[in-house]
Amino acid sequence: MKLPFPVLCVAVACCSSACGGRQAFAPVVPAANTASNAAAPAGAPATYGALARVPTPIKHVIIIFQENRTPDYLFQGVPDADIAKTAIDSKGETVPLRPISLAAGYDLDHSHAAFVQDYDLGKMDGFDRGLSGRHHLRPFGYAPMSEVKPYYEMATQYAFADHMFQSNQGPSFPAHMYIIAGRATDEVLLPNIVEDNPKHKGHKGVQQGGCDSSPGTTVPTINAETGKHGPSPFPCFDPAVLSDFLDAKKLTWRYYQTHRGAGLWHGYDAIKHVRYGKDYENVVSPSESVLTDIAHHRLANVTWVTPADAWSDHAGKRSTTQGPAWVAAIVNAIGKSPYWKDSAIFITWDDWGGWYDHEPAPIQNYYELGFRVPLVVVSP
C-alpha cells in the first residue's frame, strides 16, 4: 500500500537587517509519498500502525539545539498538549499568559539559583520574584503564532513531547555538555557537576566556556548529592562523550557551531580529548554550514546543530524572531534530500530561559532534572 508522508511545507523569510545581517532562510519542501509493503512484526497488534511498515532503518540522527524556551511559551494551541494559559505569580495570584515576542529585548535569569527560586519547592510560583512591579509580568508570556508557525506545524504534523525535562537545573554551558555527554562533569570531579556558566575574576559578566577559555576562567560546581558548592575548576573536562561510541562503531558525526574556539554553546570545545585530538575536525563552523553539507550529500550519521545568536530563540538585546525559520530551513533541506527516508530530527531547547512553565520538574537530586523544555521529533 502507499503511505503518504506529511512533509513540512512552510515558507519563511527575513530581510538581512531583521536577521542581524546573517543569511535569510526561505525553504519550501514539496509534498512527497513513499511506497512500502513491509509487514508488521509477528505478534504485533492490529493497531501497530504505519510506522511498522517503514522498511528503512534510521541512518541519520540530527539534533537541533535551540535556546531558552518552555512548552508553555512556544507551543500554545497544540491540540491535546499539556500547555497552560495562566500562571501563578509570587503573590499567589493567577496571571494570564500574554503574547510576548521572541524578540523581547530582555533576558530573564536562568542560573541555578533562579531555578531554585522559580521552582519554589514545586509550587512553580517564583518566576517573578525579585522583579520590579513594572517588570513582574515579563516571565508570563507566550510566542505569537505569527512568529512560531513553523514550530507549530512541525509539532502538529509530527511528534511533540510535552513532558520532556531539561537534564540540568542551570544555563547553557552545562546544558551543552549534557547534550553530548549525558552529564556536565568528569570522573575527577564527581559527584560535583558544573552548576552555571563560567566566570572570570578580572572580567564582568558571563565568560565563554571550554578548553579555549581565557586563563583565569573558572566554572562553579555543585555536589549533586548534598547541594553544597564544589570546586571551581577551569572549564575543560574529559568525560566519555557520545562521539567516542560513534567512533568505535565507525559512524560519522559533526557538531556545527557559529565559530571556532570557546563558547557557551560549544560543547565539544569543553572536552579535552576531543579539543586536542583528531576528532576536533568534526567540529564545524559556521552553523549554517550544515545546509551546505546537506545539499552536497555530506550529512554525517549523527549531527548536532547549534545556532548563531540571530537564529537561536535566545531573548535579550540581540534577539530576533528568526529561530523558527532557521530550524525550518534545516528540516526542509533534509525533507527534500535523499536523507529524508532514513533520518530522525530531534529539535529541543537547552534550558527554560526564565520563562514560565507550569509543570513541576521531577527532581532527582540537587541539580537534576530541570524544567520542561520542548521536544519535537520530525521523521517519516
Side-chain angles (χ1 to χ4, degrees):
M1 63 182 294
K2 285 203 170 187
L3 299 173
F5 279 142
V7 177
L8 180 67
C9 188
V10 158
V12 285
C14 66
C15 64
S16 60
S17 60
C19 290
R22 304 297 293 267
Q23 177 178 343
F25 303 105
V28 177
V29 179
N33 289 318
T34 188
S36 171
N37 294 308
T47 56
Y48 190 80
L51 289 180
R53 305 186 188 99
V54 179
T56 308
I58 298 298
K59 296 178 181 177
H60 299 91
V61 173
I62 302 92
I63 302 155
I64 302 174
F65 211 29
Q66 292 290 100
E67 292 292 312
N68 297 30
R69 303 289 170 168
T70 66
D72 282 350
Y73 177 87
L74 278 183
F75 288 94
Q76 288 288 327
V78 172
D80 301 319
D82 183 10
I83 303 296
K85 296 184 180 297
T86 61
I88 304 297
D89 69 11
S90 58
K91 296 179 180 179
E93 297 177 355
T94 299
V95 179
L97 298 184
R98 61 199 179 107
I100 299 178
S101 173
L102 282 166
Y106 56 86
D107 187 16
L108 297 160
D109 190 359
H110 47 284
S111 63
H112 179 236
F115 171 88
V116 174
Q117 172 186 279
D118 296 355
Y119 180 70
D120 192 17
L121 301 176
K123 291 184 285 186
M124 305 295 283
D125 61 2
F127 290 82
D128 65 322
R129 189 167 290 129
L131 295 178
S132 68
R134 186 162 62 102
H135 294 150
H136 91 280
L137 292 177
R138 282 184 167 184
F140 305 124
Y142 64 87
M145 178 62 75
S146 60
E147 294 181 358
V148 293
K149 190 177 180 183
Y151 290 159
Y152 178 88
E153 295 196 0
M154 283 184 265
T156 53
Q157 292 185 44
Y158 296 97
F160 174 52
D162 60 0
H163 276 204
M164 164 80 174
F165 291 86
Q166 183 186 339
S167 296
N168 66 311
Q169 299 168 5
S172 289
F173 181 70
H176 283 74
M177 289 186 66
Y178 272 91
I179 202 70
I180 60 172
R183 58 185 182 176
T185 188
D186 54 23
E187 297 297 330
V188 177
L189 271 178
L190 282 173
N192 297 296
I193 301 174
V194 174
E195 181 179 12
D196 274 307
N197 288 331
K199 301 176 181 178
H200 195 291
K201 282 186 177 181
H203 305 286
K204 292 183 179 180
V206 174
Q207 300 301 304
Q208 300 302 304
C211 300
D212 286 308
S213 298
S214 302
T217 303
T218 61
V219 64
T221 65
I222 184 172
N223 187 313
E225 298 172 357
T226 67
K228 295 181 178 179
H229 290 294
S232 295
F234 184 71
C236 183
F237 307 93
D238 217 11
V241 285
L242 287 170
S243 57
D244 297 335
F245 299 94
L246 297 171
D247 290 343
K249 292 292 185 180
K250 301 188 184 306
L251 295 171
T252 59
W253 64 274
R254 287 193 185 90
Y255 186 98
Y256 293 87
Q257 60 189 40
T258 185
H259 60 79
R260 302 288 279 186
L264 295 182
W265 308 344
H266 298 180
Y268 276 109
D269 193 83
I271 309 301
K272 188 179 297 183
H273 69 273
V274 174
R275 172 59 188 91
Y276 299 113
K278 187 178 179 182
D279 263 1
Y280 200 60
E281 296 173 358
N282 295 319
V283 176
V284 179
S285 61
S287 303
E288 57 266 37
S289 299
V290 66
L291 297 172
T292 303
D293 284 348
I294 294 168
H296 289 87
H297 308 293
R298 295 193 297 258
L299 186 66
N301 295 120
V302 176
T303 299
W304 290 266
V305 185
T306 62
D309 279 343
W311 319 318
S312 68
D313 295 330
H314 198 300
K317 292 181 180 179
R318 294 177 292 177
S319 59
T320 73
T321 61
Q322 297 308 310
W326 158 246
V327 172
I330 301 168
V331 171
N332 288 336
I334 294 168
K336 63 182 181 181
S337 78
Y339 296 119
W340 170 247
K341 67 182 183 298
D342 57 25
S343 289
I345 305 167
F346 295 83
I347 305 156
T348 191
W349 283 255
D350 72 339
D351 65 61
W352 83 108
W355 296 97
Y356 178 78
D357 192 78
H358 76 282
E359 190 68 35
I363 301 296
Q364 296 181 353
N365 55 44
Y366 282 94
Y367 195 62
E368 300 162 322
L369 298 172
F371 291 132
R372 287 196 310 174
V373 287
L375 171 66
V376 179
V377 185
V378 178
S379 177

